[in-house]
Amino acid sequence: MPASNYGPGGKRKRKIMRKLRIREISGVGVPAQEGARALIMKAGEPPADDKVSKDDVAQAITGETDGHVHGISIMHYDDCRMSLYVSYATSDGADGSHSHQLYRGPDGSYSVLENAGHTHTLDSEALAMAIVSCMSKTHDNPGDAPMTNDEKKALKDATEGLEAMKAKAERLEKVLAMSPAHRAHFDTLADADADAWLEKSATDRDAALDALEKARNEADPVVYTTTGGIEIRKSAGEAAVALAKVSDEQAKKVDDLQKENAKLAEQREMAVFEKRAADELPHLPGTLQSRAALLKAAESIEDAEQRKQAVEALKAQNEGMSLAFKSFGTAGFDAMGVAKSGATDPASVDGKTPAEKLDALVKARMEKADDKTLTYEAVYADVVENTPEGAALYAAVAGG
């Protein structure tokens, strides 16, 4: 070694590399040195008897991840050995390539293990079929050497794995095709009972569920159904039935109480509006209740400005009609129902306003009418339009 590599006392100098950039890490299938464990290995030449025949290579590919896929080679050697090799590939944006390991599960299925921060999907059934095809064509030609025990075992494992995956897929298809009721019952079964349920037709399953329900109702009938629709069966015991009935009774009482409270609240609210209608809208036509309803409707408007304008409009109408509620008496009107000059104001001899007199006249007509289905509004319109007295009173109410 050069002298510059050694220091005082013959000790070898150590160099510390502080800046190191690795652009590629390569792995090989056959390392040059025995027992190699390093990540960077030099490839050695395979033994002469390990040459691969091109016709004995079957290919499969993984699903795409990060813009790349990996090829899977099924390698069959002349000495009857078989191996799987996942080719190297490079992800989008990566500096170096990478590969993955394959894992064979207990059920014979294959999966791609994670590497470089990702994994890939794999058509395990297709790979198993390719393995079986590769192994089986080894002795298609006469004169080939008989299969070794290792090769037989590999072929047997691959075949069994393929059959297991097919059976598993077929079973899953049957389960997914079930109706919700059939699936719910299937989930309660196990082993042979579950297998037997899978083999039944949809019609047979319906019949079986009907029979089970009938047997259940006979052995444990429904003795009470709550107001919420919950069925209480005999097996629950008398205490459970009694408790359910008490619960229903309490729920009914609470419901009745809530309805009564709502009714009382509405009555209290209407009483407030009736008081306001009597104070704020005394001159509007109609009953106190109708005026209170008008006021309540106006106050229920959500928009504050529109609500204010509606209430003010009612009050303005009431103010405009205030003079109409001064009684002039029938002598104060001419034949056309117009108030004569010098008519008495503000009250008549009997002290009733024109609105009160018109209301009394309408009610008297309603009592004498043969048709008791006539509404107050219909009789009111008839009195005002078809009787001189009604027309005169209406003119006074309207501001005559």
Side-chain angles (χ1 to χ4, degrees), residues 64-68 89-96 98 118:
E64 182 177 350
T65 301
D66 294 341
H68 71 282
T90 305
S91 303
D92 282 345
D95 293 331
H98 66 278
H118 69 275

Side-chain angles (χ1 to χ4, degrees), residues 106-303:
D107 61 351
S109 62
Y110 291 88
S111 58
V112 180
L113 297 183
E114 182 177 348
N115 189 23
H118 69 275
T119 183
H120 294 264
T121 58
L122 178 63
D123 189 340
S124 183
E125 184 175 344
L127 178 59
M129 292 178 65
I131 293 172
V132 172
S133 174
C134 178
M135 296 296 291
S136 62
K137 70 179 181 180
T138 303
H139 303 288
D140 285 344
N141 298 323
D144 283 345
M147 297 177 67
T148 65
N149 290 335
D150 289 342
E151 189 175 18
K152 290 179 180 179
K153 183 178 185 303
L155 178 59
K156 179 175 180 294
D157 290 345
T159 303
E160 290 177 352
L162 178 59
E163 292 175 352
M165 283 189 291
K166 286 183 176 179
K168 186 177 181 180
E170 291 174 357
R171 181 184 180 88
L172 182 59
E173 288 180 0
K174 291 180 180 179
V175 172
L176 294 177
M178 290 183 188
S179 68
H182 295 173
R183 176 65 185 274
H185 181 68
F186 171 77
D187 291 339
T188 65
L189 304 176
D191 303 330
D193 292 335
D195 294 338
W197 185 257
L198 280 175
E199 298 305 318
K200 290 180 180 290
S201 66
T203 302
D204 290 341
R205 290 174 189 156
D206 286 336
L209 290 180
D210 290 342
L212 288 172
E213 184 65 17
K214 181 179 179 181
R216 181 189 179 194
N217 288 333
E218 291 176 352
D220 190 15
V222 175
V223 293
Y224 183 74
T225 302
T226 67
T227 54
I230 300 175
E231 295 181 343
I232 309 296
R233 294 187 176 272
K234 184 178 180 180
S235 58
E238 295 181 359
V241 175
L243 184 62
K245 290 181 178 179
V246 170
S247 178
D248 281 349
E249 291 174 358
Q250 291 178 342
K252 185 177 183 304
K253 290 179 180 179
V254 170
D255 185 58
D256 292 342
L257 183 60
Q258 289 176 342
K259 290 180 179 178
E260 184 64 24
N261 287 340
K263 184 178 179 181
L264 291 175
E266 184 178 0
Q267 291 175 350
R268 287 193 295 269
E269 183 182 30
M270 285 306 300
V272 172
F273 280 111
E274 288 176 3
K275 176 65 168 60
R276 286 186 56 188
D279 296 338
E280 301 173 19
L281 308 174
H283 304 304
L284 284 182
T287 63
L288 180 62
Q289 290 73 21
S290 63
R291 282 178 281 153
L294 284 174
L295 189 58
K296 180 181 178 182
E299 291 287 8
S300 66
I301 298 174
E302 292 185 4
D303 186 90

